[in-house]
Structures are given as structure tokens and as C-alpha cells.
Amino acid sequence: MRIVVLAGGIGGARFLRGLKSAAPDADITVIGNTGDDIHLFGLKVCPDLDTLMYTLGGGIHEEQGWGRSDESFAVKQELAAYGVGPEWFGLGDRDFATHIVRTQMIGAGYTLSAVTEALCSRWQPGVRLLPMSDDRVETHVLIDDPDGEGRKAVHFQEYWVRLRASVPAHAVVPVGADQAKPAPGVLEAIGEADVVLFPPSNPVVSIGTILAVPGVREAIADAGVPVVGLSPIVGNAPVRGMADKVLAAVGVESTAAAVAQHYGSGLLDGWLVDTVDASAVDEVEAAGVRCRAVPLLMTDDEAAARMAREALTLAEEVRA
């Protein structure tokens, strides 16, 4: 079985760990979001790609869900002593090494795809990890300017990490996405897939950003294979993070049914909601998407594996 998964960071990475357990013989290609990418201290940082790589490769900080295990922060402390910021973004010493290697390789002329493949040769994530694009795409969020009148755009990482999404988002813009091209292998993987999965990643700034790259949404819609998603909203609230804030920015309610309708029946064939949202099943199916209610809390790897099995089972129902 050839499975393509569109994934952001923590939720996508933990789901993928379950998927690998549920389908150990599957050929899995992961298309990772790069809209969260940011340049810090002269280095190119790819938070979602690294979270996917570290999680599947056994190097993630399990409690946080991001960053390296057994991390130290001597470099960050020294930069702060020099007055060099930003201090709100927590890069650890082990993590710095990844960004140094990536930046050096890109400076030498390698594409992000080639760099990601090289980094994965160390971590052996057990999947083929592709960035959504080799082109620069950075998600920005339009907010009220706290230091003046009017509004201003800030990088998504500043909105998410420094501001903790504490102010309303008026718009979410994946800057550069409309001019970007899918990375080598992305469209081919979609075209050869037996099933496409949307894990419980952020539907706006993770999966939504991937779908904003021209050709990706169309390739999935035209692939002729089941496309099944899992709701990141449980009980009208995000399982993790602040997805409700960016959903509001694009005019989508924080409900499992609204997120399914946001993706649309032209793209989505199947949708899993949590058992607490079982009342949403009829609404989703009325919109033309087959829907089932199953437990969707990834409390451990086995729970994630059960979710993955449910997604694959629903894909088979759709195919039949």
C-alpha cells in the first residue's frame, strides 16, 4: 500500500508514528509543511520538518513534542548575553547543529529536498519525507498592531510562540505559496498513492499551507483514490495548540463538521470525528463526505495506531 500523508508538526508526527505501527509494510510518503520555516541567527529553521524527522527517528523531546531530547541551551544563553535575539524562540544546542548543516548545504547550492533527504539519512524516520516545496514560503498572520494604530503582519512563529495567539488573527497568508512549485516527488507520490491521509494537523497553517502550493490540491482531487482526514477539533476545541484562533481568521467555526466542510467534499472523501462529536456525523455526510465517530485522542502510540487503522478502514469503505 502506498500512503501519502500531508503533515504539520506535533499532531502529524505522532499520528505518523501510529500509522507506521498500523501499516508496517506500507510505503509512506510524508509531504511536510514548510510555511512555518523561519530564518534565525543566520540559519534556516524548519520546525515541522524537524519535528517529523526527530519524532519518527527517535530524537524528539517527548513531553514537549518538539525539539531534541536531552537538550541543553548554552548557545541560546550566550546569544542572549550578547543581546542577540529573539529570545522567545527556543533553539537548543543539539537542534542548532541541524540548522547549521541545513543552512550550509543550502548555501552550497543544494535544494531543501536534497537537504531533507541528507538529514533523514541520519535519523532513518522510516518514511519518505518531502518538503511541500523547495521554494521559500512563510506564513504570516495579520494582527492589530499593539504598538500603534492599524494592523501589521507578523511571522506565524511570532504569533504562535511569542504572542501565544493571544490577539485575534484577522488573516493568515502563506507568503510566496502562490508562486511556489511542489518539491520534486510531491505530485508523483500523490499520483501513485493508494490513499491520501490528512492527520489531525492544523487545517489552516499546516495542511492548508501545503494545499496552497499550486498543483497540490488539484493533484489530490484528481488522484482518484480515497482521501481521509481526522479532525483536529474534539468537543469544539483544538486537541492541542490554538487552531481555533486561525480557523476564526479564515471564517471557520471550531467544530469537527466545519473543518470537514472547510476542506470540502471535492477534496475529502472520508472524515473521522471523535466520539464526543458523534452528533456531527450526519451533518458531515449531508455535505457529501463519509463520516465515522471514533476515539481521536492520541494518548499514546497504541491510541495513534488505532486512529490510523480507523482511517485506513474508512478509506477502504470509500474505495468499495
Side-chain angles (χ1 to χ4, degrees), residues 110-161:
Y110 291 94
T111 63
L112 182 58
S113 296
V115 173
T116 302
E117 182 179 2
L119 294 173
C120 284
S121 67
R122 172 190 175 185
W123 289 101
Q124 296 294 311
V127 302
R128 184 186 184 200
L129 178 58
L130 302 175
M132 66 187 196
S133 178
D134 284 337
D135 299 317
R136 183 170 179 172
V137 179
E138 291 186 2
T139 300
H140 286 69
V141 181
L142 184 65
I143 64 171
D144 292 322
D145 187 349
D147 299 319
E149 298 180 359
R151 295 175 176 176
K152 70 173 185 177
V154 297
H155 193 286
F156 171 73
Q157 294 294 348
E158 182 175 357
Y159 178 74
W160 207 247
V161 180

Side-chain angles (χ1 to χ4, degrees), residues 180-272:
K181 296 179 181 178
V186 167
L187 298 184
E188 292 81 358
I190 294 170
E192 295 170 358
D194 297 307
V195 60
V196 176
L197 299 179
F198 295 173
S201 294
N202 193 302
V204 179
V205 296
S206 293
I207 295 177
T209 305
I210 300 170
L211 293 173
V213 176
V216 173
R217 176 184 287 270
E218 295 80 2
I220 294 172
D222 295 341
V225 301
V227 180
V228 173
L230 299 91
S231 176
I233 304 296
V234 172
N236 298 338
V239 175
R240 184 186 180 99
M242 300 152 285
D244 53 329
K245 302 297 180 67
V246 290
L247 282 168
V250 298
V252 178
E253 294 181 343
S254 292
T255 69
V259 174
Q261 292 164 5
H262 171 67
Y263 285 131
S265 59
L267 185 68
L268 204 62
D269 299 305
W271 187 242
L272 293 179

